[in-house]
Amino acid sequence: MSSHYETLGVSKDASAEDIKKAYRKKARQLHPDINPSEEAAEQFKRVSLAHDVLSDPEKRRIYDQTGNENGSAGGFGGAGGFGGGFGGFQDIFDTFFNSGPSGPQSRMRQGQDALINVKIDLQDAVFGVNKPITVDTAVTCGRCEGEGTAEGTHPETCSTCHGQGYMQRQVQSILGTVVQPVECPSCRGFGTVIKNPCAECYGEGRVRERKPLTIKIPAGVTNGARIRLAGQGEAGTAGGPNGDLYVELRVASHPVFVRDGDDLVATLGVPMTAAALGTTVTLETFDGVQEVNVPAGTQSGDIITLKELGVTRLRGGGRGDIRVQIEVRTPTRLTEEQKNLLLQFSESRGEDLKVSETLSNKNSGGFFSRLKDHLK
């Protein structure tokens, strides 16, 4: 059996361009549309295989080293390896000739998916909610029930292509004149024409409409979460199935609570005297008014936890907590009388108001004391 180089009529040191030109010349002579003999068909297969191997640098290298017809490292192929190693005569044919449509297209098309944003309150995210919305979308035409034709009429067979959806056209290619199927211009490939379109949808089979929906939003959803509503997207053309609707949730900010995972965080400001003496403060939560007990001596930044009053967990059940962060508020505007009272209070506790001396006190164990010791 002749080598691939002999099949194409080129030398072993032929360039890629030489191989391409030789293949085109041979293909023009041997293509079945031009030369329908069995012998020519067999030669065309050999020419196509030779081109496939020699036009690929890696396959060509393996072929030169091993003689494997398919240009693969897995043993010698022979004629029987043509189908597995290359993909067969049909691949070559499709490379140069668009096989085109095999029959009329269906007018029926699935509708597109849709995405909308829906804003919810933090309370809705905590407990979940059934939220009514209105969607502007495409729905199946009620007058023609999706067929797209006027009442009492139906799509008619195209007289141009006789229902085939395509026509034969002669085109010029590198292999000469070939016959190629093309979409029928009269029916656009459908094989039928709508001579009397529906006055409501103008032959589309669907119309735009504002459609009410109710979305079930589960408890525990987060900002940016998406909910998929199967079959609630746009209606398809010609009675095709609906697409899906995706709802992206936007959780509104709350004046009191900030969400942290499944917990809710609130900042509670208490006067300095209340923090020192202790107090009870009421807090409006999503479960009603709750009492927050602030113990005596509470410092700014302390956290008081209200168990199981946070966000419902999306998976696993239960709820998070409410974390109340205390902010001790020091008075900024004092009368002379108030200043004297605070001074008397400080003296009664033996407090030294000269803080700088306290910071430099070696026995205080403070930061500056430790830094001073470290530098000695």
Side-chain angles (χ1 to χ4, degrees):
M1 183 176 292
S2 60
S3 70
H4 288 332
Y5 295 102
E6 292 171 340
T7 299
L8 292 179
V10 296
S11 62
K12 286 192 175 182
D13 59 352
S15 66
E17 186 61 27
D18 291 337
I19 291 172
K20 184 177 181 181
K21 289 180 180 178
Y23 169 66
R24 287 181 174 178
K25 182 178 179 180
K26 293 278 187 179
R28 288 192 189 100
Q29 299 169 355
L30 300 172
H31 192 275
D33 282 349
I34 298 172
N35 193 336
S37 69
E38 292 184 7
E39 181 181 356
E42 188 63 29
Q43 290 179 8
F44 183 74
K45 291 180 183 180
R46 291 292 306 162
V47 167
S48 299
L49 176 59
H51 174 260
D52 174 61
V53 174
L54 299 184
S55 62
D56 185 303
E58 182 60 18
K59 289 183 179 180
R60 183 176 180 179
R61 183 186 65 79
I62 295 174
Y63 174 75
D64 289 341
Q65 291 179 352
T66 66
N68 186 301
E69 271 206 51
N70 298 312
S72 60
F76 293 87
F82 177 73
F86 179 64
F89 168 78
Q90 187 60 43
D91 288 344
I92 296 295
F93 183 82
D94 288 342
T95 300
F96 289 94
F97 301 94
N98 177 12
S99 58
S102 58
Q105 304 176 46
S106 173
R107 292 183 182 274
M108 186 180 294
R109 296 284 189 276
Q110 181 169 348
Q112 292 184 336
D113 295 341
L115 172 66
I116 61 170
N117 292 310
V118 172
K119 192 171 184 179
I120 61 173
D121 296 328
L122 180 58
Q123 183 171 352
D124 296 334
V126 171
F127 297 115
V129 67
N130 290 324
K131 188 173 183 65
I133 63 170
T134 302
V135 182
D136 186 3
T137 187
V139 299
T140 300
C141 177
R143 177 174 292 189
C144 65
E145 297 182 350
E147 191 172 29
T149 57
E151 186 177 357
T153 66
H154 302 282
E156 299 179 17
T157 301
C158 176
S159 59
T160 303
C161 66
H162 305 289
Q164 294 299 309
Y166 63 95
M167 303 174 64
Q168 300 292 343
R169 182 182 67 177
Q170 288 188 342
V171 296
Q172 295 294 326
S173 73
I174 60 172
L175 304 179
T177 302
V178 295
V179 176
Q180 185 181 50
V182 295
E183 182 183 276
C184 174
S186 298
C187 66
R188 294 179 298 165
F190 295 124
T192 58
V193 292
I194 298 178
K195 292 185 177 181
N196 299 292
C198 171
E200 186 73 20
C201 66
Y202 305 103
E204 186 74 9
R206 59 181 184 173
V207 294
R208 296 208 69 83
E209 186 177 285
R210 295 184 66 83
K211 181 172 68 173
L213 288 173
T214 299
I215 308 171
K216 184 177 182 180
I217 300 174
V221 293
T222 57
N223 187 57
R226 286 188 179 184
I227 298 175
R228 173 176 172 264
L229 302 178
Q232 294 296 337
E234 291 194 353
T237 58
N242 287 23
D244 297 332
L245 175 64
Y246 291 87
V247 179
E248 187 168 294
L249 302 176
R250 297 297 177 189
V251 182
S253 59
H254 192 271
V256 175
F257 295 110
V258 175
R259 182 171 178 175
D260 181 18
D262 292 325
D263 290 347
L264 297 175
V265 181
T267 299
L268 179 62
V270 295
M272 178 182 66
T273 51
L277 299 174
T279 187
T280 298
V281 182
T282 58
L283 176 66
E284 183 73 35
T285 73
F286 295 128
D287 294 88
V289 176
Q290 301 290 325
E291 290 188 343
V292 180
N293 295 315
V294 182
T298 294
Q299 302 298 308
S300 205
D302 285 355
I303 301 293
I304 299 174
T305 302
L306 304 179
K307 292 288 187 180
E308 293 287 319
L309 292 178
V311 181
T312 304
R313 294 186 178 90
L314 188 61
R315 297 178 181 84
R319 294 174 64 182
D321 303 325
I322 290 180
R323 304 200 310 265
V324 181
Q325 182 170 307
I326 302 299
E327 182 183 90
V328 178
R329 294 176 177 171
T330 304
T332 56
R333 296 179 180 178
L334 298 173
T335 65
E336 287 299 319
E337 181 182 2
Q338 291 168 339
K339 289 180 182 178
N340 290 330
L341 287 173
L342 282 177
L343 186 59
Q344 293 174 25
F345 173 73
S346 175
E347 291 174 348
S348 70
R349 288 176 51 83
E351 296 175 347
D352 190 348
L353 299 182
K354 297 180 179 179
V355 180
S356 60
E357 292 182 7
T358 303
L359 290 175
S360 62
N361 188 340
K362 180 178 178 180
N363 296 325
S364 69
F367 170 75
F368 290 103
S369 174
R370 294 194 300 272
L371 179 61
K372 183 178 180 181
D373 291 341
H374 178 72
L375 296 175
K376 283 183 178 181

